[in-house]
Amino acid sequence: MHRVAMGRRIASAVATASLVGALGVAGAAPALAAAPAPLSFTIDYTKNTSIPQSPSLGGGFAGNGPVLDASGRVIGRTFDTCGIDGVEGPTKMDADCGAYIIFNDGDELNLSTQAVIDANPMDYPYRFKAVVEGGTGVYNGAQGEATVTAERPGVYKVDVKFS
C-alpha cells in the first residue's frame, strides 16, 4: 500500500509540474516589437476642412487635410472628428477629438485628445497633449504621447514620442 501511495504522489507531482510548466509558457508575455522612432509632422486643416463657424456645446465638427514634413512636402493625409463637450469662453471650447493620419506608404497612426481648442488668432501658439492609440503597419500596437502645437487656426505641429 505504501508503494502505491508513493507512486500516486510521484505521478501527481509530475502532473502538477507539467501543468505549472505549461501555464508558465502559455502565460509568458510575447516579445514586444521595438517602438517606432520619434516622429514630427504638421497637419494643415485650412485646406479641405469643414469646421462650423459657430461651434456649440454638444455639436461637433470634422476635418481633413494634408500632413506635411519639415520641408513642406506632403507625406500623408489626416481625418479627424471632434465633439464639443464644454465651453471655456467666447472663443475657447473643450473638444474630444480623434485624428487618423494615413501616410503615403499606407501606414496609419491614430491619435486621441481631450483639449481646449481656441478660435482666437491672438492666443496662438498654444499646446496640448494627445494619446497614441496604435495604428497600422509600423504603428500597429504603438503607444505613446504627442505634443500638439496649434501654430495658428487650423495648423498643428505634432511631435510624437512612442513608448
Side-chain angles (χ1 to χ4, degrees):
M1 193 77 166
H2 184 315
R3 195 178 281 203
V4 171
M6 183 181 284
R8 284 186 192 152
R9 274 190 241 144
I10 291 172
S12 176
V14 169
T16 300
S18 296
L19 179 60
V20 168
L23 289 175
V25 169
L32 297 175
L39 180 64
S40 293
F41 52 86
T42 298
I43 296 173
D44 187 349
Y45 288 114
T46 65
K47 306 185 187 320
N48 306 324
T49 193
S50 58
I51 298 176
Q53 295 297 321
S54 302
S56 60
L57 184 61
F61 57 89
N64 64 73
V67 175
L68 312 166
D69 67 9
S71 66
R73 188 180 52 142
V74 175
I75 59 171
R77 294 200 53 77
T78 186
F79 303 88
D80 81 341
T81 57
C82 295
I84 300 167
D85 53 11
V87 176
E88 298 289 326
T91 65
K92 295 180 182 177
M93 63 193 140
D94 292 315
D96 180 17
C97 300
Y100 309 94
I101 296 93
I102 302 171
F103 295 98
N104 290 344
D105 65 3
D107 289 349
E108 180 179 324
L109 176 64
N110 301 335
L111 303 174
S112 176
T113 189
Q114 173 71 37
V116 174
I117 306 284
D118 194 338
N120 183 354
M122 303 305 284
D123 292 340
Y124 284 76
Y126 64 89
R127 288 191 171 110
F128 56 89
K129 297 286 187 176
V131 176
V132 174
E133 294 187 327
T136 63
V138 73
Y139 306 109
N140 183 16
Q143 297 179 342
E145 174 179 284
T147 299
V148 181
T149 303
E151 295 180 331
R152 60 184 186 276
V155 178
Y156 300 90
K157 183 172 185 316
V158 182
D159 296 301
V160 184
K161 292 184 182 169
F162 299 97
S163 53

